[in-house]
Amino acid sequence: NVLGPLICFVTIFSKVILKDKVSLVRFKFADGIIFGFFLLYILSAFFSNDLVIGLEFSLRYLFLGASFYFFARFSYVLYLDKGKFINDYMHGILITGFIVAVTALMQNNSSSQYTMRLTVGDSSTIPLAITLGQAAVVNVYYIMTQKGKKSIPYLISFLPIVYAFLAANTRSVVIGFILALLLLLSSDKFSIVRKNFGKVLLAISGMAVFIGYIITNNAELVYGQSESERIDAWHHAIATFYEHPILGEGVGIFIQRFNMYPHNIFFESAAETGIVGILLTVVLIGSCFYSIITNKGDVKTPVVAAMFIFLFFVSLVSLSFWMHKALFTSIALIFITYGNLEKGQNNF
C-alpha cells in the first residue's frame, strides 16, 4: 500500500532521467490542479484542529494518490506513442485482473464486514471489486474489437474476471461497470457489436442470471448497512461544510471525527477543504469531461473514457479521495489522450 506506489514512481522517474527524457516533461495546467490539492491540504491542515492528522493525510494524498497521476504522466514520456502506451496499460490491467480473480476464487474467502462478498484475505472487498471492474471493462473492449483466434484469450479471461467481480458483490462498482459498458456499446466504433451480437447476448444473459441469483439469495444486496452508512456520511459532510464553509474542517479530520469514509469526493472536499476544495474538484473532473467531449487528441476508441466513467462513478459512492489510485491514473490518461496533453503518435 505504501512501498508499492513509491517504488513504481521512483522507478519510472529514474528511467526518465537515465534515458535523458527530462526535457520532454512539461508542466501542464492539469499538473497544477493535481498539485494544487496538495497545497490546499497543507493549508487546511494549519487551520484545522489537528495539524498532525492534516499533514499525514496531505502526504497520503501526494504519495499514495497523486503519485499515480504523475506515474502515468512520466510513463508516457518513455513511449511518445499513444497507441502502444494505452494498449500496454490496458493489457496490464487485464493481466492483473485475471491473476487477482483466480487468486480470489481459489481462496474463496468472504469479507468479514459484509456477508457473501468475495475478498482476498480479510481485506475490504471494494479495492478488489475496483481492480476486477477495470479488468472487466478492458476485457469487454478487446472481446468486441478482436476477431477470430485473437479474441480467444480474452474470452477465456472473461469468465473468471467477471465471475469474481460479481461475487465481490459491490453494488457501486457494478453500477459503474454498467455505465462504462453502455459507453462502450454506444460508441460508433462499436457498430461491431451487431456483428458479435451472439457474444454480447451470451455475456449479458450470464451476468443477468448471476445478478438475479445474488439478489434472490442475499437481501443485503438491495438495501443494507452500507447504504445507511453512506447516507450518514453525506449528511455529516454537508453539516461540516456549513460549520466551516471556506477552508473546511481540515483534511483527514472527517475520518477521525466520524470514524467513516466520506464516500464521495465532492462531499469530502466540501467538508474538509470547503468552497476552495469543491472548486478544485469541479475543475479537475470538469476538465476531464471537457477533454472527452472536445477530443482534441482525436481518440478513435472509447475504452479510456469508459474506464474514467467507471472509476469516477465509484469515487462518488466509495472510500476517500486519496484512496482512488486508479482514478488518478485514469485522469492522466484522459488528459494525455483526449486532451492531447502530450505530443506523439496518436494511433489508438
Side-chain angles (χ1 to χ4, degrees):
N1 240 5
V2 178
L3 289 180
L6 294 179
I7 290 173
C8 287
F9 179 77
V10 171
T11 300
I12 206 69
F13 189 64
S14 299
K15 289 184 71 174
V16 170
I17 294 175
L18 291 174
K19 293 194 175 185
D20 197 25
K21 297 290 183 74
V22 177
S23 60
L24 297 177
V25 179
R26 297 282 191 272
F27 188 81
K28 305 289 184 177
F29 174 72
D31 304 339
I33 299 175
I34 296 294
F35 196 72
F37 274 103
F38 175 66
L39 298 179
L40 176 60
Y41 288 165
I42 292 292
L43 179 64
S44 72
F46 282 96
F47 285 91
S48 70
N49 296 326
D50 195 323
L51 176 61
V52 175
I53 289 292
L55 293 177
E56 176 191 336
F57 274 80
S58 298
L59 293 175
R60 286 190 187 190
Y61 164 81
L62 182 64
F63 292 114
L64 303 182
S67 63
F68 281 76
Y69 167 87
F70 291 105
F71 173 76
R73 284 272 281 109
F74 293 146
S75 294
Y76 178 70
V77 171
L78 299 173
Y79 280 81
L80 294 181
D81 182 328
K82 293 180 182 180
K84 181 170 174 51
F85 175 66
I86 299 298
N87 192 59
D88 283 0
Y89 176 73
M90 293 301 168
H91 277 91
I93 287 177
L94 187 57
I95 293 169
T96 301
F98 179 77
I99 294 171
V100 170
V102 172
T103 302
L105 290 170
M106 289 177 66
Q107 289 186 357
N108 195 27
N109 288 335
S110 180
S111 171
S112 60
Q113 186 178 7
Y114 302 106
T115 58
M116 200 176 167
R117 290 193 178 183
L118 183 70
T119 188
V120 175
D122 194 37
S123 61
S124 169
T125 193
I126 295 177
L128 171 66
I130 293 174
T131 300
L132 296 173
Q134 289 186 93
V137 171
V138 175
N139 216 153
V140 170
Y141 168 74
Y142 281 112
I143 286 175
M144 294 298 104
T145 55
Q146 299 299 314
K147 299 179 180 179
K149 294 181 179 179
K150 290 184 178 180
S151 68
I152 293 177
Y154 304 106
L155 290 169
I156 293 173
S157 64
F158 181 78
L159 291 176
I161 288 174
V162 173
Y163 186 80
F165 172 61
L166 295 175
N169 195 359
T170 305
R171 285 145 294 186
S172 60
V173 185
V174 171
I175 294 172
F177 171 72
I178 292 172
L179 293 175
L181 192 62
L182 290 174
L183 178 59
L184 283 178
L185 300 181
S186 65
S187 169
D188 292 339
K189 176 82 172 180
F190 275 73
S191 58
I192 192 172
V193 169
R194 292 192 294 270
K195 301 176 183 178
N196 293 273
F197 185 74
K199 293 181 186 177
V200 176
L201 184 62
L202 180 63
I204 293 176
S205 300
M207 290 172 62
V209 170
F210 192 84
I211 292 173
Y213 169 79
I214 293 179
I215 292 176
T216 303
N217 291 276
N218 186 16
E220 201 268 335
L221 178 66
V222 181
Y223 186 85
Q225 177 184 347
S226 61
E227 283 79 12
S228 177
E229 178 184 316
R230 280 162 173 74
I231 292 172
D232 288 343
W234 298 340
H235 284 164
H236 290 319
I238 294 171
T240 303
F241 172 69
Y242 285 136
E243 294 171 5
H244 308 275
I246 306 302
L247 286 176
E249 193 175 25
V251 62
I253 302 300
F254 185 94
I255 294 177
Q256 183 190 46
R257 178 180 175 186
F258 299 108
N259 195 30
M260 61 173 62
Y261 294 125
H263 290 303
N264 182 289
I265 59 174
F266 291 101
F267 287 143
E268 179 179 2
S269 295
E272 296 192 339
T273 53
I275 293 175
V276 180
I278 293 177
L279 290 176
L280 265 183
T281 307
V282 169
V283 170
L284 177 64
I285 300 301
S287 297
C288 291
F289 279 105
Y290 176 78
S291 296
I292 293 171
I293 293 170
T294 56
N295 193 13
K296 294 179 180 178
D298 193 28
V299 179
K300 302 296 192 301
T301 175
V303 67
V304 177
M307 186 70 71
F308 169 74
I309 294 297
F310 165 69
L311 295 167
F312 171 61
F313 178 82
V314 173
S315 75
L316 295 179
V317 287
S318 294
L319 304 175
S320 183
F321 189 30
W322 68 270
M323 301 176 75
H324 290 286
K325 300 170 173 57
L327 178 62
F328 283 101
T329 308
S330 179
I331 288 172
L333 296 182
I334 290 294
F335 287 139
I336 290 171
T337 54
Y338 284 91
N340 208 22
L341 182 67
E342 303 287 356
K343 301 301 180 183
Q345 290 181 283
N346 190 17
N347 53 1
F348 191 72

